[in-house]
């Protein structure tokens, strides 16, 4: 993979000219009031948050990056249709529970289940035991650490 700004996954090319992608259309999302230098500084500021290793096809990805940059540049956001399929595949539904779990770092975790369609595309493994969590099975997810834990390993979590 190409290394970008400050060793991150952020690279640049002319619009619609990246040979690794096919494009449907270009969209104007507005004009920022930032100068070129301010935009360059912003890119260097956010680069540590966008490592090549953190990239996932279903997100976080280039569209996720564009959404965050649009906010920082104070322009219109990326239209939902751009990644609606990826977002629906990645979607997980919360499972009602009277318990609240916490990961090893103390973050509040959510009891949830992966959608059946998502299970055909994305494999979720338990961070504690390494076992694959079946699609539709309830498991704990930490939205801060982006880790998952199967029900059998919940003894390692602190329930409140």
């Amino acid at each position: 993979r190409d290394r970008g700004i400050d060793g991150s996954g952020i690279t640049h090319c002319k619009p619609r000219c990246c040979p690794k992608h096919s494009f449907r259309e270009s969209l104007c999302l507005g004009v920022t009031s930032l100068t070129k230098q301010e935009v360059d500084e912003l890119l260097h500021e956010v680069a540590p948050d966008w490592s090549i290793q953190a990239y996932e096809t279903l997100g976080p990805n280039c569209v996720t990056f564009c959404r965050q940059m649009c906010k920082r540049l104070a322009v219109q956001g990326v239209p939902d249709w751009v990644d609606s399929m990826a977002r629906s595949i990645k979607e997980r539904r919360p499972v009602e529970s009277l318990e609240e779990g916490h990961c090893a770092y103390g973050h509040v975790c959510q009891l949830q289940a992966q959608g059946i369609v998502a299970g055909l595309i994305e494999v979720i493994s338990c961070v504690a035991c390494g076992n694959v969590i079946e699609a539709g099975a309830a498991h704990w997810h930490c939205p801060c650490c982006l880790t998952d834990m199967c029900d059998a390993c919940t003894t390692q979590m602190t329930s409140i």
Side-chain angles (χ1 to χ4, degrees):
R1 294 188 186 189
D2 296 334
R3 301 219 28 105
I5 296 170
D6 296 337
S8 72
I10 302 171
T11 59
H12 61 86
C13 65
K14 291 182 181 179
R16 298 184 74 152
C17 292
C18 181
K20 297 178 184 177
H21 302 281
S22 59
F23 297 90
R24 177 175 162 190
E25 65 183 284
S26 294
L27 300 171
C28 179
L29 300 177
V31 179
T32 184
S33 62
L34 300 180
T35 65
K36 181 183 180 331
Q37 181 178 344
E38 289 171 325
V39 171
D40 288 343
E41 290 170 3
L42 175 60
L43 289 169
H44 286 279
E45 176 187 326
V46 301
D49 298 331
W50 295 96
S51 71
I52 294 170
Q53 294 79 14
Y55 181 91
E56 293 183 25
T57 303
L58 299 177
N61 57 29
C62 53
V63 179
T64 314
F65 171 76
C66 288
R67 281 205 166 93
Q68 290 192 8
M69 286 302 295
C70 285
K71 288 178 186 174
R72 298 289 299 267
L73 296 170
V75 297
Q76 293 178 28
V78 176
D80 286 341
W81 63 260
V82 173
D83 65 340
S84 59
M85 180 181 258
R87 284 184 294 111
S88 66
I89 290 170
K90 185 103 174 167
E91 189 172 288
R92 301 173 185 203
R93 61 179 169 75
V95 176
E96 288 188 37
S97 175
L98 298 177
E99 296 181 66
E100 185 177 85
H102 295 267
C103 69
Y105 296 100
H107 303 133
V108 175
C109 298
Q110 303 161 339
L111 186 61
Q112 62 181 21
Q114 178 186 39
I116 300 300
V117 174
L120 299 173
I121 298 182
E122 179 186 38
V123 175
I124 298 176
S125 298
C126 175
V127 70
C129 68
N131 290 336
V132 171
I133 299 170
E134 297 296 322
H139 64 280
W140 291 95
H141 175 74
C142 179
C144 297
C145 300
L146 299 178
T147 57
D148 299 279
M149 190 175 294
C150 68
D151 195 45
C153 293
T154 56
T155 55
Q156 296 181 20
M157 298 183 75
T158 307
S159 293
I160 296 176

